[in-house]
């Protein structure tokens, strides 16, 4: 028991960021790699076409050039050190921001072509993100004015700027 605890304790010490979705966790290690585990039914673990659950941490991708990670309810988003935004998992109502509301993405997919993303947060079926110029962007379900653009009921399939302010933190 002591050796198992010691091994698990030191494995988890390497994480600098943890984010919990509905039933899954995404974490970033000090080396820039991303690890996920838990419920993967919607593809949020980037582990194949079956949406499998993972009982132990697995790497989200084979690279270690990630600067930011977050878990949504049914998806996972990450920003690379080059400022590109990536996501996997549930895409209901266009919640991945990939230009469609097609089925789930079981593999990481780049969202748009911008290279100045700084932070992203995901809710139920919508997401918000900040760019390095501190502008606010959103995509996904918009049936309750989630996009803040005074328009209702048309889902936003790609990121749109919310307002014109550039002082979001």
């Amino acid at each position: 028991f002591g050796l198992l605890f010691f091994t698990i304790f030191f494995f988890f010490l390497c994480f600098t960021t943890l984010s919990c979705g509905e039933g899954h966790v995404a974490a970033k290690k000090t080396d820039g790699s991303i690890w996920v585990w838990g419920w993967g039914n919607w593809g949020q673990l980037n582990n194949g076409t079956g949406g499998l659950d993972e009982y132990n941490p697995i790497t989200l991708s084979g690279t270690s050039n990630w600067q930011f990670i977050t878990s949504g309810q049914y998806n996972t988003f990450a920003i690379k050190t080059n400022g590109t935004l990536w996501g996997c998992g549930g895409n209901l109502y266009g919640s991945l921001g990939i230009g469609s509301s097609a089925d789930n993405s079981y593999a990481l997919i780049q969202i748009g072509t911008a290279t100045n993303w700084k932070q992203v947060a995901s809710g139920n079926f919508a997401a918000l993100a900040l760019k390095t110029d501190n502008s606010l962007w959103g995509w996904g379900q918009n049936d309750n004015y989630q996009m803040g653009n005074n328009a209702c009921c048309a889902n936003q399939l790609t990121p749109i700027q919310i307002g014109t302010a550039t002082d979001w933190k």
Side-chain angles (χ1 to χ4, degrees), residues 3-136:
L3 180 60
L4 176 64
F5 175 76
F6 183 77
T7 304
I8 291 172
F9 178 74
F10 278 99
F11 180 76
F12 285 103
L13 278 180
C14 300
F15 292 123
T16 59
T17 305
L18 290 169
S19 179
C20 298
E22 180 173 321
H24 74 290
V25 176
K28 186 172 80 86
K29 282 189 166 187
T30 56
D31 67 0
S33 63
I34 292 178
W35 296 76
V36 292
W37 61 94
W39 181 54
N41 195 47
W42 290 66
Q44 63 270 45
L45 302 180
N46 186 48
N47 62 348
T49 59
L52 307 171
D53 295 344
E54 293 291 344
Y55 304 111
N56 295 299
I58 61 166
T59 185
L60 184 66
S61 75
T63 64
S64 59
N65 58 342
W66 300 99
Q67 72 177 10
F68 185 84
I69 182 76
T70 192
S71 299
Q73 185 170 4
Y74 302 112
N75 44 39
T76 300
F77 290 100
I79 300 173
K80 286 188 174 185
T81 55
N82 67 4
T84 56
L85 177 62
W86 298 75
C88 61
N91 191 38
L92 196 60
Y93 308 110
S95 57
L96 279 179
I98 57 174
S100 75
S101 58
D103 285 342
N104 309 335
S105 175
Y106 295 100
L108 278 173
I109 186 167
Q110 186 172 348
I111 300 165
T113 59
T115 59
N116 60 338
W117 295 104
K118 177 168 71 172
Q119 192 172 1
V120 60
S122 178
N124 207 8
F125 294 109
L128 296 173
L130 287 175
K131 287 191 172 182
T132 56
D133 66 357
N134 295 320
S135 59
L136 182 63

